[in-house]
Amino acid sequence: MLKRIALAALCLLGPGSSANAATFTTFDPPGSTLTFAVSINDTGSIAGAYRDGKNAQHGFVRAADGTITTFDPPGSNETGAASISGTGAITGDYYGGSTFHGYVRAADGTITTFDPPGSIDTFAASINVRGMIAGTYEDGGGNFHGFVRAAGGKITTFDPPGSTGTTTYSINGTGAVTGPYLGGGAFHGYVRAVDGTFTTFDPPGAIYTNPASINGAGAIAGEYEDGNYQIHGFVRAPDGTITTIDCPGAYYTVGTSIDDRGRITGYCRRSRHPVRGFVRNAIGTLKTTFHAPEAGDVYAESINDKGSVAGYHSVAHVEHGFVRIP
C-alpha cells in the first residue's frame, strides 16, 4: 500500500543455474481472491495482505509449516501488511475512520495502533528484530515525512535536508533507515543513521532513485531510472559504492530486498516476456532468474538470510502468494 504515496514510477536462466533445485510453493489464505506476500523472516514466516470475495482487504501471516492466520486491527476497513520481523512481529497500515493508521501485531496476535503527532495518514513500512518501526506519514498540509517508532512507542519524525517530501521503506537491525525523498523536483536516495545523520545519494546518471531495502551492514538495494527512461536495479555498499543491476536482456530491473549476507532479490522483464524474479549473490553474480510453474508474472518482494524468497505471481491476472526455497 505504501508505494502509492511516493513514487508513481512506476529473464533468462543462465548456465549453472540452480533454479531447478529450488522449491516454488504457491499459497492463498482461505477465501482469498487476490494474495500479495511481501515479507519473509529467517524462520520462514511470511506476511502480506489478501482480498476476499467482497473485495475487502485483510492481513495474513503464513508460518513455515504453511499454517495461515488472518487478522485486522480493531476498526479496520482495509488492512495492509508490510513487514515481519525475526520475532514474528508484523507492521503495516490500515484504513479506519476515513484515514490510514499504523499498527504493530505482536507474535501472540496482540495489535497496537499508532500515529505520529500531526499525522492524518500513517504508513508503516518496516520492522526490525528490536521492534523498531520505520514508515511515512502525511501531515495536515499534505506533506510527507519519515518516522521511526521505538519499541516502547516513542516516535521520532525526520526529513533529509532539502526534502519537500520524504518516504521511508526499510529499517535494519541497528535502526538505520532508507528511502527516497523529493528535492529539487527529483527523487533521491537517503540513508539515516541511528544518530540522525543523513547521507543522500543517486546512482550515476539517475533521474530518480528509489531505495527499497537496507541490511544489517548498511548495504542498500533498490531501483533507479536513467536519462533514457530505463529502470535498473542497484546496490549501494556501506562505503557508498553503487553498482547497477540488470537482468540480461531486460528492459527494466527492480531490486526489492537485500539480506544480511548481501544477496538481493527483485524482478525484471524482457520485451513480450512475463516478469521474472531474480536472485543476485553477494559477490555480484546474477545467480538465477525464475518463474512460477504456471505462466504469468512473478514479483519477488523479500529475501531472508537463508536465501528463501517470498512474493506474489499472477495466473490469468489473479495474484497468488509464493515462497521459493533454494
Side-chain angles (χ1 to χ4, degrees):
M1 298 176 71
L2 181 62
K3 287 191 177 180
R4 66 176 172 230
I5 68 172
L7 299 178
L10 306 142
C11 270
L12 309 173
L13 293 175
S17 168
S18 60
N20 291 336
T23 301
F24 191 103
T25 302
T26 295
F27 62 86
D28 292 285
S32 172
T33 60
L34 296 171
T35 303
F36 301 94
V38 296
S39 183
I40 184 170
N41 69 10
D42 287 346
T43 70
S45 293
I46 298 168
Y50 74 98
R51 289 199 174 272
D52 64 20
K54 296 181 179 180
N55 203 34
Q57 185 166 293
H58 313 275
F60 75 83
V61 56
R62 179 187 187 270
D65 66 3
T67 303
I68 294 177
T69 303
T70 65
F71 63 87
D72 290 286
S76 174
N77 298 318
E78 182 172 297
T79 302
S83 176
I84 185 168
S85 75
T87 63
I90 296 170
T91 197
D93 53 74
Y94 72 96
Y95 188 73
S98 76
T99 59
F100 287 94
H101 311 274
Y103 73 85
V104 56
R105 180 187 185 271
D108 66 4
T110 304
I111 294 177
T112 303
T113 64
F114 62 86
D115 291 287
S119 173
I120 61 168
D121 283 309
T122 302
F123 305 93
S126 183
I127 185 169
N128 68 14
V129 72
R130 298 164 59 188
M132 301 170 69
I133 295 170
T136 306
Y137 75 97
E138 182 182 3
D139 66 24
N143 300 304
F144 292 97
H145 313 273
F147 73 84
V148 171
R149 180 186 186 270
K154 180 182 178 181
I155 294 177
T156 302
T157 65
F158 60 82
D159 290 285
S163 174
T164 56
T166 303
T167 301
T168 305
Y169 284 142
S170 184
I171 186 168
N172 70 9
T174 70
V177 301
T178 194
Y181 74 96
L182 181 63
F187 287 98
H188 311 275
Y190 73 87
V191 57
R192 179 185 184 269
V194 183
D195 65 3
T197 304
F198 284 96
T199 302
T200 63
F201 63 89
D202 290 288
I207 61 172
Y208 88 70
T209 303
N210 188 26
S213 179
I214 184 169
N215 71 8
I220 296 168
E223 69 187 90
Y224 74 95
E225 183 177 338
D226 65 23
N228 295 317
Y229 306 106
Q230 297 295 306
I231 296 175
H232 311 270
F234 76 85
V235 57
R236 180 185 186 271
D239 67 2
T241 303
I242 296 176
T243 303
T244 294
I245 301 170
D246 287 303
C247 294
Y251 70 87
Y252 73 74
T253 302
V254 176
T256 59
S257 180
I258 184 168
D259 70 12
D260 283 342
R261 295 177 61 180
R263 289 175 295 206
I264 296 169
T265 197
Y267 51 88
C268 54
R269 185 171 191 172
R270 291 190 301 159
S271 180
R272 298 185 297 278
H273 287 72
V275 178
R276 291 192 171 188
F278 72 81
V279 175
R280 176 189 186 270
N281 65 22
I283 62 173
T285 304
L286 191 65
K287 188 174 182 182
T288 185
T289 63
F290 60 89
H291 56 83
E294 308 92 342
D297 296 333
V298 172
Y299 297 92
E301 294 288 338
S302 181
I303 188 168
N304 68 13
D305 286 349
K306 296 180 180 179
S308 296
V309 175
Y312 55 94
H313 72 102
S314 63
V315 179
H317 306 292
V318 176
E319 282 73 28
H320 308 272
F322 78 82
V323 57
R324 180 184 184 273
I325 301 175

